[in-house]
Amino acid sequence: MTGPARAVWCESAWLGAGGVADAVRVEVDDAGMVVGVLPGVPAQDGDAVLSGVAFPGAANAHSHAFHRALRGRTHDGGGTFWTWRETMYRAAAALTPELYEELATAVYAEMVTVGWTSVAEFHYVHHRPDGTPYGQGDGQGDGHGPHAMELALARAAVRAGIRLTLLDTCYLAGGFGAPLEAGQRRFSDGTAERWLARLASLRAAVAALHPAHQVSVGAAIHSVRAVPERDLAVIAAQLPPGLPLHVHLSEQPAENEDCLRATGRTPTALLAAHGLVGGRLSAVHATHVSAPDIGVLAAAGAAVVLCPTTEADLADGIGPAGGFRAAGVTLALGSDQHASLDPWLEMRALEHGERLRTGRRGHFAPEELHGIASLGGAAAQGRRGAGFRPGCAADFMAVDPGSARTAGSSREQLAYTATGQDVTGVVVGGVPVARDGVHTRLGAPGPLLAGAIARLDAASVPATDGAAAPAHQGSS
């Protein structure tokens, strides 16, 4: 371990079971890890200063960056999953590496200003719209090399100062026994073998450009409906050990029904039958898993990533968070389609969902909510969690305890009252990245988002497929 290279001085800091302490100086090494925590000491020249109450930075365990362009645009006539999906396909078809880099930079800037300090990007827009891989074919003279989309996302994360786990996603079918729709061609590598080969090449390319603490590569299976059984078996046999593996799982009841009809198993049981349920697996949503499914996930040491505000926005339902916790499943939070890109609201929605489901209060204590938002999300990414202890990542978010939303709150209970609007500062690896809603290098995220979404709109064309997909076609 190297010696301290910088320090973050917190007006106050939440030290877990020890509660909130004042005047906390956190020493950080040149790798961005905490090496010392000194409460009750003054700031020194050169320290990064966080005003308000500092907490471990939140780790976003599930993101689709381009879905941010859909916020507030899919509710016509009340909106359904399918009106949302039509808009999503239109945005996906319009993406180019340049447009995606611009949009993702703005989205990641928005993330860090509200307290997310790392993100798992569930990425499946791999190829050109006709399915031709970047770097192959004539490319219509676009000048893009291999992994153009993926490397654009990596550059966006670096610019925004957020740690990125790029979950390269296998997406091969349009449903159980169904071919890909036209709008899905750019998601697919054709076979699991070709996806694995591209994944290996991508890992090498990213490792040559970025240190792992900044950008790393993991893997994802889009869903059991999008990867046929034959390919699940190939992935189980050939996916390199140690890589985080994520999957959309049982987001909607119809997914379970279709899987049972096609395979005789639930989605969880199907993955388990192929050896894909284990300690590296993170099941995203898992809203409609059965009690036996929960047991399978728990026994294998799998994690579950809940996205409460997205699950509410899409009317997916309220997942069994209490059941997962009782079984010992590690929980994490994600913002998914960014209907609300705010870790404080995700924490609160997790607790509120349990209250609505059970008619009782007080399921997740503030300390548990912060642990789920920071340590759970980092574990799902295969990363070291943030915290005020030596060996933790020096990733912190601070909130104003005297805002219109938080005034009068117990400092230990700010998880129940604060929002992203109250975030006064964010540091990643001990380096300030945002202050009072403004990114230190990129400025206010609102204009960045507006400009990127306007350019994506200009490039979009009406969707020609997907809008009328039958209601068994699945998840986001």
Side-chain angles (χ1 to χ4, degrees):
M1 179 72 69
T2 59
R6 64 180 77 92
V8 179
W9 187 84
C10 307
E11 182 180 12
S12 301
W14 179 79
L15 303 183
V20 174
D22 295 325
V24 177
R25 190 169 188 266
V26 183
E27 296 177 330
V28 183
D29 69 14
D30 55 10
M33 309 303 292
V34 175
V35 294
V37 179
L38 305 171
V41 301
Q44 298 182 16
D45 289 344
D47 288 357
V49 174
L50 287 175
S51 61
V53 184
F55 295 86
N60 190 337
H62 190 65
S63 164
H64 300 291
F66 79 91
H67 289 189
R68 174 60 182 82
L70 280 61
R71 184 189 294 176
R73 306 178 128 199
T74 62
H75 305 277
D76 292 352
T80 67
F81 180 89
W82 306 109
T83 59
W84 174 88
R85 190 171 183 253
E86 178 183 3
T87 308
M88 184 268 283
Y89 275 144
R90 188 161 60 248
L95 288 172
T96 64
E98 293 79 12
L99 282 173
Y100 208 0
E101 182 172 350
E102 181 184 7
L103 178 59
T105 299
V107 173
Y108 295 153
E110 183 185 7
M111 279 189 199
V112 296
T113 62
V114 295
W116 299 109
T117 55
S118 66
V119 58
E121 182 63 37
F122 198 107
H123 168 66
Y124 50 81
V125 188
H126 302 302
H127 308 304
R128 298 185 180 96
D130 65 359
T132 304
Y134 288 102
Q136 297 182 22
D138 60 28
Q140 298 80 47
D142 61 18
H144 296 125
H147 313 303
M149 283 293 202
E150 292 75 21
L151 296 181
L153 286 168
R155 290 191 299 270
V158 171
R159 287 188 66 201
I162 196 168
R163 303 182 194 271
L164 172 67
T165 302
L166 182 60
L167 298 171
D168 196 85
T169 301
C170 185
Y171 196 133
L172 303 174
F176 292 101
L180 293 165
E181 299 170 9
Q184 297 168 326
R185 283 197 299 257
R186 71 184 312 183
F187 306 162
S188 178
D189 293 289
T191 66
E193 289 88 349
R194 287 202 287 271
W195 171 70
L196 286 161
R198 188 178 53 74
L199 174 64
S201 174
L202 173 63
R203 293 179 67 200
V206 168
L209 292 170
H210 305 287
H213 68 81
Q214 188 173 66
V215 181
S216 62
V217 176
I221 294 166
H222 180 271
S223 55
V224 294
R225 66 181 179 81
V227 179
E229 278 201 75
R230 175 261 175 204
D231 296 281
L232 291 176
V234 171
I235 292 169
Q238 298 183 27
L239 188 68
L243 282 188
L245 177 65
H246 290 218
V247 61
H248 291 131
L249 187 73
S250 293
E251 184 177 1
Q252 298 178 348
E255 178 186 339
N256 294 344
E257 296 163 6
D258 287 354
C259 191
L260 283 166
R261 187 180 303 112
T263 72
R265 296 185 170 102
T266 67
T268 300
L270 180 61
L271 292 174
H274 289 286
L276 287 165
V277 179
R280 69 171 170 182
L281 183 72
S282 292
V284 180
H285 301 304
T287 310
H288 299 286
V289 294
S290 65
D293 289 338
I294 292 175
V296 169
L297 293 167
V304 169
V305 181
L306 302 170
C307 306
T309 65
T310 284
E311 288 144 14
D313 182 75
L314 295 179
D316 287 337
I318 299 172
F324 289 128
R325 184 182 61 176
V329 174
T330 296
L331 296 178
L333 291 172
S335 62
D336 195 357
Q337 55 135 342
H338 319 310
S340 170
L341 190 43
D342 187 329
W344 300 88
L345 295 184
E346 299 295 348
M347 285 191 284
R348 203 136 64 244
L350 176 62
E351 167 65 18
H352 287 172
E354 280 300 283
R355 294 182 185 189
L356 291 169
R357 190 173 65 82
T358 65
R360 292 185 292 105
R361 301 179 79 212
H363 296 268
F364 293 95
E367 184 174 354
E368 291 179 277
L369 292 175
H370 284 291
I372 291 167
S374 59
L375 299 179
Q381 297 181 48
R383 291 190 176 277
R384 192 82 61 86
F388 294 93
R389 297 188 307 277
C392 292
D395 300 350
F396 310 122
M397 55 179 176
V399 294
D400 178 1
S403 76
R405 290 157 294 280
T406 61
S409 300
S410 163
R411 296 189 298 179
E412 286 79 10
Q413 295 186 32
L414 285 166
Y416 291 130
T417 58
T419 72
Q421 295 179 67
D422 303 311
V423 173
T424 60
V426 180
V427 299
V428 178
V431 177
V433 293
R435 186 176 300 279
D436 296 325
V438 177
H439 195 278
T440 56
R441 293 191 304 274
L442 300 172
L448 299 176
L449 289 160
I453 292 169
R455 278 179 276 283
L456 185 65
D457 286 345
S460 297
V461 295
T464 57
D465 61 87
H472 62 270
Q473 285 296 308
S475 62
S476 52

